[in-house]
Amino acid sequence: MAKRIDVSDLHIYYGNFLAVENVNVSIEPRSITALIGPSGCGKSTFLRSLNRMHEVIPGARVEGKVVMDGVDLYGSDVDPVDVRRQIGMVFQRPNPFPTMSIYENVAAGLRLNAKRMKKSDLDDLVERSLKGANLWTEVKDRLDRPGAGLSGGQQQRLCIARAIAVEPDVLLMDEPCSALDPISTLAIEDLMTELKERFTIVIVTHNMQQAARVSEQTGFFNLNGVGQPGRLIEFNPTEKIFSNPDQKATEDYISGRFG
Amino acid sequence: MSQTSTAPAPTGSSAPTPRRGERARRVPNWAPWAAFAGAAVVVGALWPLLDLNIALFVLYTVVLGTLAVYLLTRSVEGSRQAIDRLVTCLVVSAFGLAMVPLVSLVWEVVSRGIGRLDGTFFNSSLVGIVGEGGGAYHAIMGTLIITALTTLISVPIGLMTAVFLVEYARGRLKRAITFLVDVMTGIPSIVAGLFAYALFAIFLGPGVRLGIMGAIALSVLMIPVVVRSAEEVLKLVPNELREASYALGVPKWRTIVKVVIPTAIAGLGTGVTLAIARVVGETAPLLITLGITTATNLNAFDGRMATLPVYAYYQLTQPGVPPQFATDRAWTAALVLIILVMGLNVVARLISRFFAPKSGR
Ligand SMILES: Nc1ncnc2c1ncn2[C@@H]1O[C@H](COP(=O)(O)OP(=O)(O)OP(=O)(O)O)[C@@H](O)[C@H]1O
Ligand SMILES: [Mg+2]
């Protein structure tokens, strides 16, 4: 079940350092929202604040509201663990569990939460998730081998399989394709297009073509200088951003005339 | 410096430079060995003159051999290689020097202790033994029981403290606990013994001797070791794994139990085993808290117990007449203790081998 996320007046801090300033945005359900912007402008930080992964870092905190289907995720009665069950995440760097096999890695979301499931159902789920992440054919004969023994790109797809296996409502992906070859990248993009029927997807990417290909909405983050907070400069439908952006900075960034 | 250089000259020079593959003059591989053999012969020839003993002989040989290798290499290969060889000689000598006490200790204990390493030693106690015969069954069992009890007390406390320090504690509280653990690491073992004795004397009156007292005294020594080693190992678990688990909606405690600890299990097991090896040979605290017996007592909550280190101590200091038999038993007890510690070290290595996260393809 896809859900809508409304962010208002969001400030994100690391200790005293204001990393991202005043974000106001609505993320539509059943669509892909792409976030672009130069390195260090706070895309990952913003993404992590959507499923309350930000506060895992000591001293990190946020101010403002993130409302998902009418519920403020930062409300005092909301359990961050519940939030993360509904909003899955794929990280910038692949991080499979080194003690677990490929199979166990995919099943980790259920196993670690001690959810009971019939063996055959679990097998189905693992197969479906691995197929979804375009990894099945490569690993189907060695599901019991360690997940850390895969190549970097395979590990990243394993992490995607792990994230979609728990069937979240929203899927956050932080540069999921930065370690992948063009074929796997296309497969992931197809996967995203398929998943958006059911999920809300937010993706951070440095690849403009990718943003243009897959997303409906695009947000451009930028920062004025080192030590300054990042800001959401422009948020518009992708076609508009790439053909006729409102802001000069966006146009400069997209056309490569940056700085 | 007359140096036959193989390094390519800076680019752009038209002067003929030595090509890659064109080998400079090299000292053959056997030459250093020959130099040391020669040095040994020379020093050996001087033995009657200098009135040497074996230690001095080795010392002079090493010094002379090192010098010879250095000069030889310097004249043939140049100064950089010569310094390389010189430092190699120094490092190997230092290693040899470090091995001397270890080897001589093991040699001494084995040669003196092997004589009584027989069946009787392992299956009889000292009840009714005045001279020959007798064994250390009661002491071996005592050591095993006390060590097991100590492990049972220390490992849960130590591990949980380490988990608390790494996963939960922040700021001042964390610094305070770390400081206290550091202080505990430095407690002299006799103080730990006195602590346990004083603690039990409050409730059970002075002169009390119990196995559990010894286990508590040893725990005071073992807990900080477990905490420190476990803390280091847990810190090595990458944060990304914790985040991966959180992002799947796994609560923190489950993440610790199912992700962090399994990832670190090899290091944790090794640390615990080495901590056990550290306390298994403790004598002073057991002397105060357990005393010694001649009979077998397997109940840690009732009266005195014998343990190997204390057994060895009493056999050596109060041997009776003739002293020979008791002294032999003391050496054998020391040998058994060393075997125990070495066994534990082997176990530690096996643990880290078998439980290490696998990345094989
Ligand atoms: N754990 C942290 N502690 C303190 N500051 C941090 C931390 N992580 C990131 N920052 C800071 O927050 C700012 C935004 O970082 P962020 O990782 O969100 O950038 P990004 O847009 O994802 O960049 P990239 O495209 O390189 O991934 C940077 O100035 C960074 O230095
Ligand atoms: Mg990032």
Side-chain angles (χ1 to χ4, degrees):
Chain A
M1 231 251 305
K3 292 199 169 153
R4 170 194 185 86
I5 300 180
D6 291 296
V7 179
S8 47
D9 303 331
L10 192 69
H11 301 262
I12 313 175
Y13 297 83
Y14 289 102
N16 290 325
F17 172 60
L18 177 59
V20 178
E21 188 180 48
N22 200 21
V23 178
N24 290 286
V25 73
S26 296
I27 293 164
E28 296 296 322
R30 289 191 195 78
S31 75
I32 300 180
T33 303
L35 303 176
I36 58 174
S39 183
C41 65
K43 305 180 295 297
S44 301
T45 305
F46 172 68
L47 200 68
R48 288 165 58 95
S49 71
L50 293 182
N51 68 341
R52 296 192 67 169
M53 282 298 292
H54 179 65
E55 65 204 50
V56 168
I57 296 166
R61 65 201 164 82
V62 306
E63 284 166 10
K65 271 190 168 174
V66 178
V67 178
M68 183 164 81
D69 276 10
V71 182
D72 182 6
L73 298 183
Y74 283 93
S76 55
D77 54 342
V78 174
D79 182 0
V81 171
D82 279 338
V83 173
R84 292 177 204 140
R85 278 186 191 154
Q86 296 169 53
I87 308 184
M89 180 156 204
V90 175
F91 292 83
Q92 197 163 352
R93 269 184 292 171
N95 50 3
F97 298 118
T99 51
M100 299 184 191
S101 67
I102 294 172
Y103 183 98
E104 287 165 333
N105 258 293
V106 180
L110 297 155
R111 286 267 175 88
L112 292 180
N113 279 318
K115 286 224 183 76
R116 296 249 157 263
M117 205 183 211
K118 272 216 301 270
K119 177 85 174 85
S120 57
D121 289 350
L122 196 60
D123 287 348
D124 282 350
L125 178 75
V126 168
E127 181 173 344
R128 228 180 321 127
S129 308
L130 281 171
K131 276 183 177 153
N134 192 35
L135 188 60
W136 174 249
T137 46
E138 283 158 77
V139 300
K140 66 171 185 284
D141 302 321
R142 46 171 174 161
L143 289 176
D144 54 345
R145 305 303 307 275
L150 297 172
S151 80
Q154 289 171 329
Q155 287 186 20
Q156 185 62 301
R157 280 177 283 156
L158 182 63
C159 293
I160 294 173
R162 180 176 69 188
I164 59 181
V166 292
E167 303 255 318
D169 302 321
V170 179
L171 192 58
L172 310 177
M173 301 173 116
D174 195 348
E175 295 181 40
C177 301
S178 58
L180 298 186
D181 64 297
I183 297 173
S184 303
T185 303
L186 272 186
I188 300 296
E189 287 176 11
D190 288 347
L191 168 70
M192 285 190 277
T193 324
E194 196 180 303
L195 290 178
K196 79 173 177 192
E197 309 294 325
R198 290 179 289 149
F199 305 143
T200 305
I201 296 181
V202 184
I203 172 177
V204 171
T205 179
H206 281 297
N207 182 335
M208 302 295 164
Q209 289 91 341
Q210 180 169 58
R213 272 195 302 265
V214 298
S215 69
E216 274 85 36
Q217 305 279 324
T218 299
F220 171 60
F221 276 87
N222 202 354
L223 74 180
N224 290 337
V226 181
Q228 306 269 28
R231 283 191 330 232
L232 181 61
I233 301 285
E234 181 169 353
F235 189 85
N236 266 323
T238 302
E239 286 124 59
K240 181 162 168 54
I241 288 255
F242 281 95
S243 57
N244 177 24
D246 288 339
Q247 303 288 329
K248 175 101 171 45
T250 315
E251 191 176 352
D252 287 350
Y253 182 74
I254 287 168
S255 57
R257 273 178 280 122
F258 192 72
Chain B
M1 248 174 275
S2 68
Q3 196 166 334
T4 43
S5 161
T6 51
T11 48
S13 88
S14 56
T17 51
R19 294 268 172 74
R20 258 168 159 275
E22 219 177 49
R23 307 285 300 183
R25 283 199 299 157
R26 298 267 303 157
V27 174
N29 278 339
W30 48 264
W33 301 106
F36 276 98
V41 170
V42 172
V43 177
L46 292 176
W47 191 309
L49 270 177
L50 295 175
D51 191 21
L52 294 173
N53 58 29
I54 184 75
L56 279 179
F57 170 73
V58 173
L59 182 70
Y60 287 156
T61 305
V62 168
V63 171
L64 200 64
T66 306
L67 210 64
V69 169
Y70 176 73
L71 292 175
L72 181 72
T73 317
R74 183 169 179 143
S75 67
V76 179
E77 292 183 3
S79 72
R80 187 172 60 78
Q81 283 87 344
I83 289 177
D84 178 33
R85 286 255 160 79
L86 178 68
V87 173
T88 307
C89 288
L90 288 181
V91 168
V92 173
S93 309
F95 166 72
L97 210 60
M99 290 307 286
V100 168
L102 178 66
V103 170
S104 75
L105 182 142
V106 170
W107 172 256
E108 192 77 5
V109 174
V110 169
S111 64
R112 295 216 197 188
I114 199 91
R116 277 304 321 276
L117 203 65
D118 49 25
T120 331
F121 191 81
F122 286 101
N123 61 26
S124 67
S125 67
L126 274 184
V127 178
I129 303 291
V130 189
E132 204 177 349
Y137 170 73
H138 59 313
I140 294 172
M141 290 314 285
T143 287
L144 293 182
I145 291 171
I146 299 298
T147 311
L149 272 178
T150 310
T151 311
L152 226 57
I153 299 172
S154 312
V155 170
I157 297 181
L159 280 189
M160 286 196 234
T161 310
V163 166
F164 178 73
L165 280 178
V166 176
E167 307 285 340
Y168 292 96
R170 298 262 169 268
R172 200 175 287 172
L173 181 62
K174 178 172 178 163
R175 277 202 300 281
I177 296 175
T178 310
F179 176 71
L180 289 179
V181 170
D182 283 348
V183 170
M184 259 176 99
T185 319
I187 288 182
S189 56
I190 186 77
V191 175
L194 287 170
F195 158 74
Y197 178 80
L199 182 69
F200 276 78
I202 295 174
F203 302 108
L204 302 173
V208 59
R209 298 273 191 280
L210 291 176
I212 187 72
M213 283 166 65
I216 286 176
L218 291 187
S219 298
V220 173
L221 299 172
M222 184 165 164
I223 288 172
V225 182
V226 174
V227 173
R228 283 333 292 264
S229 67
E231 195 189 349
E232 293 308 318
V233 173
L234 290 177
K235 272 196 218 151
L236 286 182
V237 176
N239 243 335
E240 277 125 53
L241 296 182
R242 298 187 179 91
E243 296 198 339
S245 179
Y246 297 150
L248 291 169
V250 181
K252 186 162 185 170
W253 69 272
R254 267 186 183 284
T255 302
I256 293 168
V257 174
K258 299 234 171 154
V259 174
V260 177
I261 290 183
T263 308
I265 193 75
L268 294 176
T270 310
V272 165
T273 322
L274 293 179
I276 296 174
R278 158 84 180 68
V279 297
V280 80
E282 274 299 340
T283 319
L286 298 183
L287 215 54
I288 312 174
T289 51
L290 296 190
I292 186 75
T293 60
T294 51
T296 311
N297 171 16
L298 300 184
N299 186 351
F301 297 91
D302 180 27
R304 296 161 174 265
M305 281 175 93
T307 49
L308 275 172
V310 179
Y311 174 90
Y313 172 77
Y314 274 108
Q315 291 296 302
L316 208 61
T317 52
Q318 301 172 13
V321 273
Q324 185 54 43
F325 303 114
T327 315
D328 284 350
R329 285 194 293 267
W331 281 105
T332 309
L335 179 57
V336 172
L337 206 52
I338 290 184
I339 294 172
L340 215 60
V341 173
M342 284 195 171
L344 283 171
N345 279 290
V346 172
V347 169
R349 298 191 143 248
L350 291 180
I351 288 178
S352 69
R353 171 104 35 103
F354 285 125
F355 287 98
K358 294 160 191 71
S359 67
R361 279 156 205 249

